[in-house]
Amino acid sequence: MEIDEAREVRTTCPYCGVGCGVLAKVAADGQVSVRGDPDHPANFGRLCSKGSALAETIDLDGRLLHPEIHGRRAGWDEALDLVASTFSQTIAEHGPDAVAFYVSGQLLTEDYYVANKLMKGFVGSANIDTNSRLCMASSVAGHRRAFGSDTVPGTYEDLELADLIVLVGSNLAWCHPVLYQRIAAAREKRPEVKIVLVDPRRTMTADIADMHLAIAPDGDVALFTGLLAYLGQHNALDRAYITTHTTGFGQALFAASALDLAGVAAATGLSEDELGRFYSLFAATAKTVTVYSQGVNQSSSGTDKVNAIINCHLATGRIGKPGAGPFSVTGQPNAMGGREVGGMANMLAAHMEIENPDHRDRVQRFWNAPTVAGKPGLKAVEMFQALADGRIKALWIMATNPVDSMPDADAVEAAIKACPFVVVSDVLARTDTVRHAHVRLPAAAWGEKDGTVTNSERRVSRQRAFLELPAEVLPDWRIVAEVAQRMGFGEAFSYATPAEVFAEHAALSGFENDGVRDFDIGVYGGVDGETYATLEPFQWPAPGRADPFWPAGHLPLKGGDQPAARLSPIANAAEEAPVSKLLVSPLEGEMAGRPEGVGTTGLQVRFFADGNFYTPDRKARFIAIRPTTEVRTSPDYPLILNTGRIRDHWHTMTRTGKSPRLSQHIAEPFVEIHPVDAQRFGIGDADIVRVSSPRGDVLVRALVTIRQRQGSLFAPMHWTDQFSAKGRLDTLTAPLTDPISGQPALKHVAARIEKFAAKAFGFAVTRHRPSPDAAAYWAVAKCKGGWRVELAFAEEDIDWAGFAGSLFGASLGAEMLAYHDRDAGQHRIAAFDGDQLSGALFVAPGPVAVSRGWAAEQLSADHVDRRGRLAIVAGRPGGVDVDRGAIVCSCFGVGANQIAEAVRRGCGSVAAIGAALHAGTNCGSCRAEIRVIIDAQSLQAAE
């Protein structure tokens, strides 16, 4: 497309399930900048550090830009014909269950819908599952057991209206920062609001908590069954709600009473006093929201955890009311959309049930399909096990990286390598999964895609394209539709636009519904391309009615819904007044949602305040849950490994790994360990350690911290073979799943830890991406002007000058400066190409003490002065240069040294630091870390 004027396009962030609105501005020269959409009701202008850095992730570097077959370039017709013919032949020879799709919560709803329709309605198998199985499958199962449907009852507004917020297994401050800031804003307005964090780790979210319950791993079932028993014993029940709107309460209460308070304390690792304070607070607070995420879901008892939480809300009638209810926060941008279209192996489209023959008949008639899968398909872990034993002979992977994200990841990789036919649709040419594909199909990326996503509060928003689609790249829905046509299903897959797909999806949701099913957006069943192009964010349900479309621009504003002019998704930025400062919502004050839960259609946007569940008798079901305790540790594996995410990276870093800004905060894989455990195993801070399980081992950096629970470890799951030597964390996790949801237990893994006997440590910066294969441990990260790399070596007799030249890719004429102290094991080498630094290497017998941020900045600087070049070899700034220290605020690039200096100058609060340095004033996810630095400096001053 020709760009002759600046444009600003309204779209949606592609990261977590908060679903933040983004304004992507494309300048006349093609440069892109992003900011939060102040009119989007999920974020009101705020973005987290990842969303704020989206413009750094949209280049074509490393992109898969044309189809490939067995590693050679191919045309689309050849590639699509091969995929269609191989799948068709496999089905003909071995049956429909011999093929499978493994898809992703990164897909748009339109992509998901077409893939699910092809597999379940035309192939005739339910072997389509998604990486969302790793994220929220236990929530789906718990909802369906209790409500008869996969319904999220509440909205984000409830977080601002609640008097008590219980955060269970959810590090909102890092994983859903915009929601965290909505809570922080409400808390500043109403200081009486209480917040309880239930988490084995003292995460940065604990900074806002009045009470942190450092629960034992998988102690949540005991905690909430104990709470149900307490509510019954203390007459804190809503008897009228229980009688009118629920069944099974007696059995649930009896099962919950199996443990007395002492038994609950033993099962949870909490004191009876802690339990008593939490239970009494919950019992006394009518407006309570319980927010839960992966700490609940990623468990072999995840579904029971979900239902134990829901039981407590049903027993008190705290559901579907303003400021009250259980709230599952999803981890991916369209995990909810995938649930809506039936993109999981045990679901049909539009929240219909694959086990229900009437539902199968309805879907088959609507699709005019030759068949509909008659039984659930293989869930994610089962699918790759079937791949390993040969039952699945053709697999299509879309927009996900299972070689790194699935449990027992080495076994998953071996299964993929052994499969006769593997297709991967992806945006990158190199991932740990793409490397094993027989056919590689280049898919559209964020900024090129056009479709919809649904966030955690059931709000559907548009992702819009603002970049030109590369010449040989196609959107996922189109790729799947082309294959379907070649398989002989042309009439059913003759979509010309994503608007046509969305309209069919919406129409199916309302087809023969009449209020029987929760998911209904039938009002959009007749949407045309023009209306789709300007579609505003909306919450479901939105059943069909005479006036079918919600007014564009009619969004929740302070004080409630107010009329607004229609907002075009694409505005002429040249006509807008210049913006002099970052547009974000204030941390203080309201970030209000709809008043009293009424949507723009006049429908209630909360569910179940007055019952009307989606069970046959329209009553919710209490689930009788008896807590059990499982010991997974042993003398050989005495520790419990908990896996998760960090603030500035996402999944397997295929997007965030492109951003220099996002790699500043944490640039290498690490493991948290409590000081007592570190001493026990002879581990010092910043040592390289080997973490092992019965399935594998990784090499990571040790972080000794009292925030970690004693006896447990925590490590993030982001690092892959593309970014580290041996950091694929899910090689350690077991294929152990919840028996109901099929979700893997990724947060309770028996492990051991030992110090890696490194002979030398290194740190380097280089203009070109390095290949440090000679190092036993390495981790590369993007930085402005090049790359930074952490190193550790199993050998000490190394030609350091030769290694440095190879690492830098330095030219023969490069000027080399070096310092060697062989007795001390110290080596420092820098190479210059003219006035530019090609690379610098620092080697020491222990963890290298170098000003890393400053060293990385030298790649972008001119080095005419020889004295300045010597400073690089010294590894620290000289003269007036400033070492910012480790980056704390990624949004504004503010380091720990700068914050500490500001404290010493008198900035004694987070707000004062924000005023002086801007740190913490954008997404706010670094505010807890800023407070830690303030407290540490205050303590030093007091001493």
Side-chain angles (χ1 to χ4, degrees):
M1 66 179 71
E2 285 291 322
I3 300 174
D4 55 5
E5 62 180 16
R7 301 170 297 121
E8 194 162 61
V9 178
R10 301 177 68 208
T11 186
T12 307
C13 180
Y15 287 118
C16 75
V18 176
C20 295
V22 175
L23 295 176
K25 183 176 180 179
V26 185
D29 64 359
Q31 292 295 307
V32 175
S33 59
V34 301
R35 63 186 177 102
D37 183 349
D39 295 307
H40 197 288
N43 61 313
F44 298 98
R46 188 169 299 283
L47 292 177
C48 73
S49 58
K50 293 185 288 291
S52 298
L54 276 166
E56 298 179 17
T57 70
I58 56 177
D59 58 50
L60 296 182
D61 183 37
R63 285 288 298 274
L64 180 62
L65 294 173
H66 49 76
E68 295 180 4
I69 298 175
H70 297 296
R72 65 169 176 83
R73 184 168 182 165
W76 270 108
D77 283 336
E78 182 186 8
L80 294 170
D81 286 346
L82 178 60
V83 174
S85 62
T86 304
F87 269 76
S88 295
Q89 182 178 351
T90 303
I91 293 164
E93 293 179 1
H94 304 284
D97 288 336
V99 301
F101 293 172
Y102 186 63
V103 297
S104 166
Q106 300 288 297
L107 293 176
L108 303 185
T109 297
E110 292 76 4
D111 307 323
Y112 247 134
Y113 180 85
V114 176
N116 185 61
K117 178 181 177 180
L118 173 58
M119 180 57 77
K120 291 195 177 120
F122 290 82
V123 171
S125 171
N127 281 350
I128 174 171
D129 211 47
T130 166
N131 64 5
S132 298
R133 179 72 59 186
L134 316 180
C135 169
M136 33 44 62
S138 291
S139 287
V140 174
H143 290 161
R144 293 176 72 181
R145 285 209 296 183
F147 308 147
S149 60
D150 176 23
T151 310
V152 176
T155 72
Y156 292 163
E157 182 191 30
D158 294 323
L159 301 175
E160 297 154 341
L161 299 177
D163 295 325
L164 170 63
I165 300 172
V166 184
L167 304 172
V168 189
S170 176
N171 185 8
L172 278 186
W174 277 20
C175 299
H176 301 92
V178 171
L179 290 188
Y180 177 81
Q181 292 307 325
R182 288 185 75 155
I183 293 172
R187 176 69 168 273
E188 292 195 19
K189 183 182 178 184
R190 295 194 297 128
E192 68 273 15
V193 172
K194 300 298 182 185
I195 299 172
V196 177
L197 175 66
V198 182
D199 197 307
R201 300 168 63 217
R202 186 171 180 81
T203 65
M204 288 301 170
T205 303
D207 178 68
I208 202 173
D210 299 281
M211 186 186 307
H212 172 216
L213 302 179
I215 195 168
D218 281 340
D220 311 84
V221 170
L223 179 67
F224 284 94
T225 54
L227 174 57
L228 182 64
Y230 180 95
L231 296 171
Q233 293 162 4
H234 290 78
N235 198 28
L237 304 171
D238 187 336
R239 297 280 182 184
Y241 191 92
I242 292 169
T243 301
T244 307
H245 300 304
T246 74
T247 62
F249 174 71
Q251 296 92 319
L253 184 61
F254 177 79
S257 302
L259 291 179
D260 59 13
L261 193 63
V264 174
T268 60
L270 303 172
S271 70
E272 292 187 30
D273 177 66
E274 288 176 307
L275 292 169
R277 286 188 289 120
F278 169 53
Y279 288 172
S280 63
L281 181 61
F282 189 102
T285 312
K287 297 176 76 171
T288 297
V289 174
T290 304
V291 178
Y292 62 91
S293 190
Q294 309 308 357
V296 168
N297 293 330
Q298 290 180 335
S299 167
S300 59
S301 57
T303 305
D304 280 351
K305 291 183 182 184
V306 171
N307 286 115
I309 291 168
I310 291 173
N311 281 350
C312 295
H313 281 269
L314 292 174
T316 52
R318 299 173 188 170
I319 188 167
K321 299 173 182 176
F327 203 142
S328 163
V329 178
T330 54
Q332 294 196 80
N334 205 30
M336 290 284 280
R339 290 148 73 170
E340 293 160 7
V341 305
M344 301 178 79
N346 56 321
M347 302 171 70
L348 272 184
H351 280 200
M352 284 183 267
E353 299 170 1
I354 202 167
E355 303 90 348
N356 187 319
D358 293 335
H359 290 187
R360 295 198 302 270
D361 174 70
R362 181 180 297 122
V363 172
Q364 185 174 357
R365 285 187 287 110
F366 182 88
W367 281 342
N368 193 24
T371 183
V372 164
K375 66 181 189 302
L378 296 171
K379 299 167 185 172
V381 170
E382 299 168 333
M383 181 180 291
F384 286 97
Q385 290 171 339
L387 196 69
D389 64 29
R391 284 175 288 159
I392 291 177
K393 302 179 186 304
L395 174 67
W396 190 348
I397 299 168
M398 304 177 200
T400 187
N401 198 4
V403 167
D404 297 315
S405 58
M406 283 291 295
D408 201 9
D410 279 345
V412 169
E413 181 170 34
I416 291 173
K417 289 169 68 174
C419 181
F421 190 65
V422 176
V423 181
V424 176
S425 304
D426 210 315
V427 302
L428 291 185
R430 292 178 58 187
T431 74
D432 292 355
T433 298
V434 167
R435 63 189 176 190
H436 301 304
H438 301 99
V439 179
R440 302 170 184 173
L441 302 177
W446 184 81
E448 303 159 1
K449 289 184 174 188
D450 197 30
T452 57
V453 293
T454 306
N455 74 358
S456 295
E457 63 165 355
R458 295 175 277 104
R459 189 177 300 279
V460 179
S461 299
R462 289 278 275 111
Q463 268 195 25
R464 294 182 172 93
F466 55 87
L467 297 173
E468 184 177 4
L469 193 66
E472 294 187 66
V473 170
L474 292 175
D476 289 284
W477 68 265
R478 173 79 181 278
I479 297 171
V480 178
E482 290 282 352
V483 169
Q485 291 171 26
R486 285 166 167 79
M487 292 177 72
F489 310 127
E491 184 177 349
F493 293 87
S494 58
Y495 309 108
T497 67
E500 294 179 14
V501 181
F502 180 79
E504 182 178 309
H505 162 58
L508 176 56
S509 76
F511 182 56
E512 299 178 354
N513 191 327
D514 300 321
V516 175
R517 304 190 303 275
D518 65 333
F519 177 64
D520 188 346
I521 57 170
V523 68
Y524 297 100
V527 70
D528 59 16
E530 180 181 354
T531 306
Y532 183 76
T534 57
L535 190 67
E536 293 291 333
F538 69 90
Q539 279 181 292
W540 59 263
R545 60 190 180 93
D547 180 14
F549 299 114
W550 295 19
H554 198 100
L555 298 174
L557 303 173
K558 185 173 181 179
D561 280 352
Q562 300 173 14
R566 187 178 186 89
L567 297 173
S568 170
I570 303 177
N572 187 337
E575 297 175 0
E576 297 182 359
V579 177
S580 60
K581 64 179 181 178
L582 188 67
L583 292 178
V584 297
S585 301
L587 286 174
E588 296 77 17
E590 289 188 72
M591 298 177 73
R594 303 186 187 281
E596 300 182 5
V598 180
T600 49
T601 58
L603 293 170
Q604 292 289 324
V605 294
R606 294 181 180 88
F607 284 85
F608 310 140
D610 298 316
N612 291 317
F613 294 89
Y614 293 93
T615 56
D617 62 3
R618 308 296 279 184
K619 293 186 175 185
R621 293 183 289 246
F622 279 93
I623 305 299
I625 301 167
R626 190 175 296 273
T628 59
T629 302
E630 183 177 356
V631 177
R632 295 183 188 159
T633 55
S634 68
D636 288 336
Y637 298 96
L639 300 172
I640 293 171
L641 172 65
N642 173 14
T643 73
R645 298 175 178 172
I646 59 173
R647 191 188 77 188
D648 291 353
H649 277 307
W650 173 253
H651 282 199
T652 60
M653 299 200 294
T654 51
R655 182 182 289 116
T656 56
K658 285 172 161 278
S659 167
R661 189 193 321 183
L662 297 179
S663 295
Q664 293 180 106
H665 183 236
I666 297 175
E668 63 182 320
F670 67 92
V671 62
E672 289 183 356
I673 183 170
H674 189 275
V676 171
D677 292 324
Q679 185 177 27
R680 173 186 174 190
F681 294 104
I683 292 166
D685 202 26
D687 280 346
I688 303 300
V689 296
R690 187 185 305 278
V691 181
S692 307
S693 81
R695 282 174 165 75
D697 63 281
V698 295
L699 291 177
V700 296
R701 184 81 66 177
L703 174 58
V704 180
T705 172
I706 59 172
R707 288 182 171 268
Q708 180 57 50
R709 178 185 172 88
Q710 191 172 336
S712 295
L713 307 171
F714 171 82
M717 50 78 69
H718 307 293
W719 275 265
T720 70
D721 285 351
Q722 307 303 314
F723 293 95
S724 64
K726 200 171 177 58
R728 291 172 51 231
L729 193 70
D730 277 313
T731 59
L732 277 61
T733 57
L736 175 67
T737 62
D738 179 283
I740 300 166
S741 70
Q743 182 158 359
L746 301 177
K747 292 186 170 290
H748 191 166
V749 181
R752 67 177 176 231
I753 189 169
E754 58 189 321
K755 183 176 179 177
F756 174 70
K759 302 296 185 182
F761 292 77
F763 172 76
V765 294
T766 173
R767 296 183 67 82
H768 304 289
R769 180 161 184 157
S771 298
D773 296 332
Y777 169 87
W778 57 262
V780 299
K782 201 84 169 62
C783 65
K784 187 177 180 181
W787 296 82
R788 53 184 285 181
V789 55
E790 299 284 350
L791 303 155
F793 302 85
E795 308 292 334
E796 55 187 342
D797 186 17
I798 293 174
D799 174 8
W800 294 113
F803 175 80
S806 174
L807 190 71
F808 305 156
S811 64
L812 292 176
E815 178 187 356
M816 305 288 284
L817 294 180
Y819 165 82
H820 298 285
D821 183 342
R822 289 176 173 78
D823 291 338
Q826 298 275 356
H827 305 272
R828 298 176 184 181
I829 304 165
F832 296 87
D833 186 359
D835 294 338
Q836 299 295 308
L837 177 67
S838 296
L841 170 66
F842 308 90
V843 178
V848 176
V850 170
S851 300
R852 283 164 167 75
W854 176 83
E857 290 169 359
Q858 304 315 301
L859 293 170
S860 303
D862 289 327
H863 299 284
V864 180
D865 179 51
R866 185 169 182 82
R867 184 176 299 175
R869 297 187 178 196
L870 293 175
I872 293 174
V873 176
R876 60 183 182 273
V880 297
D881 286 350
V882 176
D883 176 16
R884 292 181 294 170
I887 295 299
V888 174
C889 176
S890 295
C891 296
F892 293 104
V894 181
N897 291 351
Q898 293 169 290
I899 296 169
E901 177 60 28
V903 176
R904 288 191 288 270
R905 292 198 309 265
C907 293
S909 68
V910 174
I913 293 294
L917 302 174
H918 300 295
T921 61
N922 182 32
C923 76
S925 58
C926 63
R927 288 162 65 89
E929 291 169 90
I930 293 171
R931 187 169 285 109
V932 169
I933 296 171
I934 293 171
D935 292 345
Q937 290 297 315
S938 300
L939 182 62
Q940 288 180 18
E943 293 174 347

